[in-house]
Amino acid sequence: NSGAYTLCEAIEPPAAGAGLHRHPTWDETFIICEGRYEFQVDGKTLNLGPGDVLFVPRGTPHGFMSIGPEVGRQLIISSPGGIFDVFIAEAAASKVDSGSPSRPGVATDFRAIAAKYGVEFLS
């Protein structure tokens, strides 16, 4: 079904990840492929490794960090689709635009872009 979900692969070096946040419009499923991750989910701390799967319902506070020592790799499924991928595309494009000679001095406000898609950062 078109638009049912978005699948992305995320590769994070140690100490990289996503700070504590929530979003009311999509669920997320994290599938750990490589590395070790520490997740904060609704006030709990979880340590996950290859083969572990975590479902985070929409609206649930969560965040994660690759805790190494190797690079982490995970698959993230967002449902419904079409929201997370547009958010990421806009955030990536803004970073490219902010370094453009035609737009000197333009600072990217990642949190403002995130807010357009219902993402609320909690830390």
Side-chain angles (χ1 to χ4, degrees), residues 38-84:
E38 181 177 278
F39 276 78
Q40 300 294 320
V41 181
D42 207 15
K44 298 180 181 99
T45 300
L46 304 170
N47 287 297
L48 304 178
D52 289 332
V53 177
L54 174 65
F55 174 74
V56 179
R58 63 192 73 191
T60 304
H62 64 288
F64 61 86
M65 181 183 304
S66 172
I67 57 174
E70 67 277 353
V71 171
R73 183 172 69 89
Q74 61 180 328
L75 299 176
I76 304 171
I77 302 169
S78 303
S79 179
I83 304 167
F84 179 75

Side-chain angles (χ1 to χ4, degrees), residues 102-119:
S102 64
R103 295 179 60 196
V106 174
T108 301
D109 185 350
F110 179 76
R111 288 179 182 246
I113 294 170
K116 285 175 46 178
Y117 296 93
V119 178

